Amino acid sequence: EVQLVESGGGWVQPGGSLRLTCVASGFTFSSNHMSWVRQAPGKGLEWVSTINWGGSRTYYTDSVKGRFTISRDNAKNTLYLQLNSLKTEDTAMYYCAKGGVDDALSRSAVRGQGTQVTVSS
């Protein structure tokens, strides 16, 4: 059974930082691209970032470039998202997803249960 379990969310003031973690099981993690997506209150799902299977290539949506960093540890089947310089508009439920952007946003996407990030003063 494929499982993705996120953690690391919480409340933080604007300008603060968080590190999200996603532990994967049930599939060959090291052979798959992985992504983070998010859903803000009252809004649709938004792609945030993707990392290729080996970790050598990363991609970001424009609004988080320079502030967020995606990484992975294939030995630990773990995906990370470092969130720096957080803004109130980053408030959302964050999900890790198996695959690239199209897979992560598809109706049949494999995603975790999510971890809530709240940015407010």
Side-chain angles (χ1 to χ4, degrees):
E1 178 190 1
V2 175
Q3 275 199 314
L4 299 169
V5 180
E6 302 96 334
S7 62
W11 174 83
V12 64
Q13 292 184 328
S17 298
L18 286 171
R19 189 193 197 199
L20 307 185
T21 298
C22 171
V23 178
S25 61
F27 66 101
T28 307
F29 180 76
S30 59
S31 296
N32 283 270
H33 298 347
M34 294 294 295
S35 297
W36 288 96
V37 298
R38 66 185 179 184
Q39 188 164 25
K43 296 189 177 181
L45 209 56
E46 176 190 25
W47 170 75
V48 176
S49 182
T50 294
I51 187 167
N52 75 327
W53 61 272
S56 61
R57 285 178 289 188
T58 58
Y59 308 90
Y60 301 93
T61 192
D62 285 347
S63 62
V64 310
K65 282 180 182 175
R67 300 189 299 120
F68 292 6
T69 303
I70 190 171
S71 62
R72 66 191 296 162
D73 185 338
N74 285 344
K76 295 182 179 179
N77 284 0
T78 301
L79 178 72
Y80 303 99
L81 187 67
Q82 179 68 40
L83 288 64
N84 295 331
S85 303
L86 281 161
K87 304 176 181 180
T88 55
E89 52 263 44
D90 295 318
T91 294
M93 185 72 79
Y94 284 72
Y95 303 89
C96 70
K98 180 172 174 281
V101 54
D102 291 339
D103 292 326
L105 295 178
S106 73
R107 289 179 180 268
S108 59
V110 177
R111 293 191 287 261
Q113 84 291 345
T115 187
Q116 177 69 38
V117 172
T118 302
V119 185
S120 73
S121 54

